[in-house]
Amino acid sequence: MMNKKILPENTQMSEIESKNRNSLIENINIFKTNKNDMRFFTAITLPLILAACGGGGGGGAVSPTPDSGSSSGGSSSGGSSSGGSSSGGSSSGGTQANAGYYTATADVDNYIYDVSFSGSGVVSGDDGNVIITDFDASSDTITLRGSDAPSSFGTGGSSNVDVASTIDGDTVITIGSDNDKTGTITLKGISDSSSVVVNAEAGDADAGAPVIDLESGTVTAAAAGEVFEYSVKFINGVPVANDGEVVINGFDVKVDKLIIKSDSLPSGYGKGSLLSTSGVDVTTDASGGTRIDFGANADGSSGSITLSDVSDTDLTTIDLVFEIVSPTVVGTQVDIDSASITATADSETFVYDASWDGDEVVGSDGDVTISGFSLSSDKLVILTGGSIPSGYDRSEFENNSKGTQQIVVDAINNKTVIYFAPNSEGVSSTLTLDGVADENDALNIVFGSSIGDTVAASAPSSDTSSADTTSTDDTASTDDTTTTDDTASTDDTTTTDDTSSTDDTASTDDTSSTDDTASTDDTTTTDDTTTTDDTASTDDSASTDDSASTDSTTPASYTVVNIDASGESTVTATADAEEFRYEVDSSGVSQEGAFTVTIDGFDISSDKLTLVIVGGSSNLTTQEFDALSGVEVTSDGLSGTQIFFAPDSSGQSGGLTLTGVEESFDDTWTATTYTVEIIADANITG
């Protein structure tokens, strides 16, 4: 599922906004000064007014610290200049401080941040990274909210809440003890950390920052802070992607968070471990973004995350953490209830019941044999139902102190046997994968106390259960080198197609995407086995096949968006695969007008840009179009791809911007990561 949003403003707009924001801050400061004066006036005059009216009995001194239990900012009985305390009462009014940017008002502000308490300290900061501007330490407060808030609370020491000033003249509140679940609150311009009041109160957490579940495609971050989740599995200590190729545009290292989820995790594995793991690469892509390539699956497939607007191959500025989740089910869940099971061709998760005796895993389902298990697509979940340590993995299973738990690879008999710890009667159960010798430790085996989410299975690869055990498929050179053969399952098993040189070498057949993707051509057995089709001139030489270019034909999968604007405008892409058509003439002059049209959310993996040459007779390549006099195409790594069309008769030029679409090229326009076509209108259909 593609996730698209409006892309961030370009640099020029950011500068304008910054100037406006500075003016606003100056005005707010004026109000803040008045706010302090008003507070002083009220503190003196209000008791006098009440006394004159016969009220205000028992009045004590007014504390400058607002009560965390009141949104109106009344008195507090437990305030402290360096981290006040509250008794953990009912939820106070205020601003829910989820990850992102906030600007304090001229009123008394209370920012509520959700945490997890344990005893008198905080275990984790759950709302991510927060940045607050114009915070007034004399009146504004921070409230840490959690269901088990202590009766008294103070920052520092064992509370796991550190309040410290920075060299930049800010105050940063670091919350949490777990490196994977910490958060920060930055108070801009507050140089005296001792003046900041931090309270604690009992209450239920809100929904928190928006969570974006990554799968594949391009996602654009919003202005507010977000949590991006990507799923991996650990195979032999290497994180292997469950999700696909993902690009995140507009990722803000100050408030956004990237969580790598897995149902197993080697002890102590974190960001530093990721950088040093063999098979994982953290590099800079062609546009200067940070790309994380995860390890390869048994079939060689992998996945990656690209932060297009962040250059940080050391990951020092990126809030990236690992999170252990309950064992997920990939594909179809198969609960083992017999001694002999045969796997299907689909992705399956086999669930074997066991128990945790406090030290070892004891099998409960007895001796079981699974035939046809695929290392590339199938999964084993050992469900203990007890208090097995979180993240318990294969290495801990095999390296137990008693040596009774083992995973034995029998290459001679082509099988892998899992030996569980003996039960109270001294009997040990086994789980055998018949036909699979896991010599490369590629087995996806996970231990846990309960089943978590069910996730979609990856597309079937050529390395199926039968492929694991059949050498014929792996060694056929003609099979490996023929692209149409690799994607067509029927074609893969048909020797007639593999040896037919006429079909494989026909250039018109290979270059015509319509021919390559036509299911009737690739998958029809009559086509594969009939010599008439291999030699028929209608297939190889038909002009309709060769010349009916996919360049000029809109695939059925595209939704056509005809750009028709009368001034500066923005077109926002949807989640559908779309073809954006923009009209020019043969000289490269815009036919839409002398203004800029911006396309937000253009998805490089599924969308298409078509420049339609009005009155043209032939198509152009991107290089040929860029070479036209007055045409300029740039991609500076910041403003997206910008097309400046040739000037019209009055010297005015139109423009087209694809925000977030960055690609490096030298002298002329080269689009290798997204689809662009320049087509004469006579060749347009659909």
Side-chain angles (χ1 to χ4, degrees):
M1 186 74 182
M2 213 66 65
N3 191 348
K4 298 183 181 178
K5 303 174 186 175
I6 297 176
L7 293 171
E9 295 84 1
N10 57 33
T11 303
Q12 184 179 4
M13 290 299 298
S14 297
E15 292 175 353
I16 296 173
E17 290 180 358
S18 179
K19 294 177 181 178
N20 294 335
R21 187 162 53 247
N22 290 335
S23 298
L24 179 61
I25 290 171
E26 292 178 1
N27 294 332
I28 291 175
N29 287 335
I30 295 173
F31 283 109
K32 284 201 160 195
T33 301
N34 293 335
K35 179 176 75 173
N36 293 331
D37 294 339
M38 289 295 295
R39 223 177 11 253
F40 178 76
F41 173 80
T42 302
I44 295 175
T45 60
L46 184 58
L48 298 176
I49 294 172
L50 292 174
C53 297
V62 177
S63 170
T65 304
D67 184 2
S68 64
S70 173
S71 61
S72 61
S75 64
S76 172
S77 61
S80 169
S81 62
S82 61
S85 64
S86 77
S87 60
S90 60
S91 179
S92 64
T95 301
Q96 305 292 328
N98 299 318
Y101 295 89
Y102 299 85
T103 300
T105 70
D107 299 324
V108 174
D109 294 311
N110 179 34
Y111 292 92
I112 303 172
Y113 186 98
D114 291 314
V115 302
S116 296
F117 286 102
S118 178
S120 61
V122 173
V123 176
S124 63
D126 302 329
D127 275 340
N129 300 320
V130 174
I131 298 175
I132 305 174
T133 302
D134 292 341
F135 186 89
D136 189 343
S138 67
S139 61
D140 298 338
T141 55
I142 304 295
T143 297
L144 304 182
R145 179 176 61 188
S147 59
D148 299 317
S151 58
S152 63
F153 176 80
T155 61
S158 61
S159 70
N160 296 320
V161 178
D162 295 321
V163 184
S165 300
T166 71
I167 193 173
D168 298 322
D170 303 327
T171 290
V172 177
I173 306 171
T174 304
I175 305 165
S177 61
D178 188 338
N179 288 332
D180 291 347
K181 294 181 180 179
T182 58
T184 61
I185 302 174
T186 300
L187 307 177
K188 302 296 293 182
I190 303 299
S191 59
D192 183 8
S193 61
S194 66
S195 65
V196 177
V197 175
V198 182
N199 296 322
E201 69 171 25
D204 296 328
D206 66 342
V211 177
I212 311 300
D213 187 11
L214 303 172
E215 294 180 1
S216 62
T218 300
V219 176
T220 301
E226 293 173 301
V227 177
F228 297 91
E229 295 184 340
Y230 189 91
S231 178
V232 303
K233 58 188 175 185
F234 275 84
I235 304 295
N236 195 25
V238 178
V240 176
N242 286 328
D243 292 320
E245 305 284 339
V246 172
V247 176
I248 305 177
N249 293 326
F251 187 92
D252 189 340
V253 296
K254 295 181 179 179
V255 295
D256 290 336
K257 179 185 285 273
L258 179 59
I259 296 180
I260 310 299
K261 299 192 302 181
S262 178
D263 46 18
S264 67
L265 187 69
S267 179
Y269 198 96
K271 205 163 43 174
S273 308
L274 184 70
L275 292 169
S276 60
T277 299
S278 177
V280 175
D281 291 317
V282 182
T283 58
T284 301
D285 68 0
S287 301
T290 299
R291 178 181 172 110
I292 304 172
D293 285 281
F294 296 96
N297 207 338
D299 61 358
S301 63
S302 184
S304 68
I305 301 172
T306 299
L307 307 180
S308 61
D309 302 295
V310 180
S311 180
D312 182 9
T313 55
D314 294 330
L315 305 179
T316 53
T317 65
I318 300 170
D319 190 0
L320 184 154
V321 300
F322 288 84
E323 181 178 301
I324 301 172
V325 298
S326 297
T328 57
V329 173
V330 179
T332 303
Q333 179 174 335
V334 180
D335 294 313
I336 295 175
D337 56 5
S338 64
S340 181
I341 300 173
T342 300
T344 69
D346 299 326
S347 293
E348 293 173 298
T349 297
F350 296 90
V351 180
Y352 182 94
D353 288 330
S355 63
W356 174 252
D357 65 3
D359 185 51
E360 294 178 305
V361 179
V362 179
S364 302
D365 277 337
D367 296 333
V368 175
T369 297
I370 303 176
S371 301
F373 186 94
S374 173
L375 291 176
S376 63
S377 61
D378 292 337
K379 179 178 183 178
L380 280 179
V381 172
I382 310 301
L383 199 62
T384 62
S387 56
I388 190 170
S390 178
Y392 187 91
D393 64 0
R394 174 173 178 168
S395 63
E396 293 174 282
F397 179 84
E398 292 185 282
N399 298 322
N400 65 97
S401 59
K402 298 181 180 179
T404 55
Q405 300 174 166
Q406 298 180 40
I407 299 179
V408 178
V409 178
D410 185 353
I412 296 176
N413 296 302
N414 196 28
K415 63 181 180 181
T416 299
V417 184
I418 302 168
Y419 292 89
F420 297 97
N423 58 21
S424 57
E425 299 177 352
V427 179
S428 176
S429 299
T430 61
L431 177 58
T432 301
L433 306 179
D434 191 27
V436 176
D438 183 27
E439 296 183 271
N440 296 319
D441 294 334
L443 174 62
N444 187 8
I445 181 171
V446 175
F447 302 82
S449 56
S450 61
I451 294 293
D453 297 332
T454 298
V455 300
S458 304
S461 66
S462 60
D463 187 18
T464 62
S465 58
S466 59
D468 289 335
T469 59
T470 305
S471 61
T472 307
D473 185 53
D474 293 334
T475 59
S477 60
T478 54
D479 184 34
D480 292 338
T481 58
T482 306
T483 56
T484 54
D485 186 34
D486 289 338
T487 58
S489 59
T490 310
D491 198 352
D492 286 339
T493 57
T494 306
T495 58
T496 309
D497 189 333
D498 290 338
T499 58
S500 175
S501 62
T502 307
D503 188 30
D504 289 342
T505 60
S507 60
T508 54
D509 190 10
D510 290 341
T511 58
S512 172
S513 62
T514 308
D515 189 20
D516 289 341
T517 59
S519 59
T520 53
D521 187 16
D522 291 337
T523 62
T524 305
T525 56
T526 53
D527 183 23
D528 293 333
T529 58
T530 305
T531 58
T532 308
D533 181 66
D534 291 340
T535 60
S537 60
T538 53
D539 185 35
D540 292 341
S541 63
S543 59
T544 54
D545 189 31
D546 293 341
S547 64
S549 65
T550 53
D551 289 350
S552 57
T553 303
T554 301
S557 58
Y558 284 129
T559 299
V560 175
V561 179
N562 291 305
I563 296 176
D564 184 13
S566 58
E568 302 279 334
S569 60
T570 297
V571 179
T572 303
T574 69
D576 298 327
E578 294 173 298
E579 178 187 10
F580 297 90
R581 292 181 177 178
Y582 186 102
E583 292 185 343
V584 299
D585 67 15
S586 57
S587 299
V589 177
S590 169
Q591 300 301 285
E592 304 294 347
F595 47 80
T596 299
V597 175
T598 300
I599 302 177
D600 274 341
F602 186 93
D603 191 325
I604 62 175
S605 65
S606 61
D607 292 339
K608 174 182 177 181
L609 174 64
T610 299
L611 301 182
V612 181
I613 306 174
V614 178
S617 58
S618 60
N619 304 340
L620 297 176
T621 66
T622 55
Q623 293 92 340
E624 291 170 337
F625 183 80
D626 196 10
L628 295 174
S629 178
V631 173
E632 182 67 26
V633 184
T634 67
S635 182
D636 58 9
L638 181 64
S639 306
T641 294
Q642 296 177 294
I643 305 172
F644 301 95
F645 299 103
D648 58 20
S649 58
S650 61
Q652 301 298 308
S653 177
L656 180 64
T657 299
L658 305 179
T659 55
V661 179
E662 306 286 358
E663 187 169 63
S664 65
F665 49 87
D666 296 322
D667 297 328
T668 56
W669 183 19
T670 303
T672 60
T673 63
Y674 58 102
T675 303
V676 180
E677 294 174 340
I678 300 96
I679 304 172
D681 57 358
N683 297 329
I684 288 284
T685 61

